[in-house]
Amino acid sequence: MLTLIPQWFIRYKFFNSLLLGLSVGAIFSIYTPLEPSVYSLGGVALAVGMLLIARLYIHILNAQWFFRISLLVEIVLLLIMCYFLLDPYTYQTALIVYVGYQMTFVFGNYLVRVETLLLGEDILLTRLDTAKQMGYLMGMAGAYLFYRLMDHYGIVENQPQVYYLHFVLIAVEVIVIFLIINSFKRS
């Protein structure tokens, strides 16, 4: 049986939100080749996926499954970032990145519900949400500074800026995976 270690988990959520803040602007550049109908289909798949996950709550609302699914989500993100670096700005890459993100979003409601159940204390939930917002804000500010730095060095087009940002994203994602692994212990 696994037990959540709140101190490590809160650090994980900070870096997880930092990653989100850093990557938000980049996604729009990567998705450029996709037609609007892909987003509609993706939305339907997302809703159906979330519905299926909700039907499994009776089995997966525990620390063991929470760890497995959290780690799966982080590994999927790492893989799609690596794939983007290998073959950037093709239609296939845009579609794979979109599908990868949609797969991780399917677990969004589940992950929030379980983290609330596992932490369970007002003080810990306050620290968790504060860390998440601070991470997101720092990620957005970091992305802004990164793009300004690229401008300063003469890299002004969106595509190369987003490409170089992915090296930072992968480094942060490795930290995120390290932190999620350390957020649980066997009891």
Side-chain angles (χ1 to χ4, degrees):
M1 183 167 173
L2 288 179
T3 303
L4 181 72
I5 306 169
Q7 294 79 9
W8 280 98
F9 186 73
I10 290 169
R11 289 181 196 131
Y12 156 70
K13 292 306 289 189
F14 171 82
F15 278 93
N16 178 273
S17 296
L18 179 76
L19 181 77
L20 177 64
L22 282 168
S23 65
V24 165
I27 298 301
F28 297 112
S29 291
I30 296 170
Y31 289 172
T32 301
L34 300 178
E35 306 91 18
S37 62
V38 171
Y39 300 111
S40 299
L41 190 58
V44 170
L46 177 64
V48 170
M50 293 176 94
L51 181 63
L52 292 173
I53 296 298
R55 303 298 299 167
L56 296 173
Y57 278 2
I58 193 167
H59 303 292
I60 62 174
L61 283 180
N62 57 60
Q64 183 81 25
W65 277 103
F66 182 63
F67 171 71
R68 291 175 182 162
I69 291 171
S70 297
L71 187 58
L72 171 71
V73 164
E74 301 304 343
I75 289 172
V76 166
L77 290 175
L78 180 63
L79 291 175
I80 61 176
M81 287 177 210
C82 290
Y83 185 80
F84 173 77
L85 287 180
L86 294 174
D87 191 22
Y89 301 115
T90 65
Y91 183 85
Q92 180 180 329
T93 300
L95 193 58
I96 287 172
V97 169
Y98 180 70
V99 168
Y101 273 103
Q102 291 297 93
M103 282 177 52
T104 65
F105 295 157
V106 162
F107 297 104
N109 284 344
Y110 163 77
L111 295 172
V112 170
R113 297 217 186 287
V114 179
E115 72 186 21
T116 302
L117 289 171
L118 293 178
L119 290 174
E121 297 176 25
D122 295 350
I123 292 172
L124 289 175
L125 291 171
T126 298
R127 288 181 51 205
L128 176 72
D129 284 350
T130 301
K132 287 163 73 173
Q133 286 307 310
M134 292 301 293
Y136 186 69
L137 284 170
M138 290 180 70
M140 296 289 283
Y144 174 79
L145 292 174
F146 181 85
Y147 293 130
R148 299 303 304 177
L149 185 66
M150 292 286 104
D151 289 343
H152 177 74
Y153 286 106
I155 302 169
V156 294
E157 294 180 22
N158 292 349
Q159 290 188 349
Q161 288 183 346
V162 167
Y163 182 81
Y164 291 126
L165 180 67
H166 271 69
F167 290 101
V168 176
L169 294 175
I170 287 173
V172 174
E173 185 58 44
V174 170
I175 294 169
V176 166
I177 290 171
F178 170 79
L179 291 171
I180 191 63
I181 290 170
N182 283 290
S183 296
F184 292 87
K185 69 175 180 184
R186 294 216 172 269
S187 55

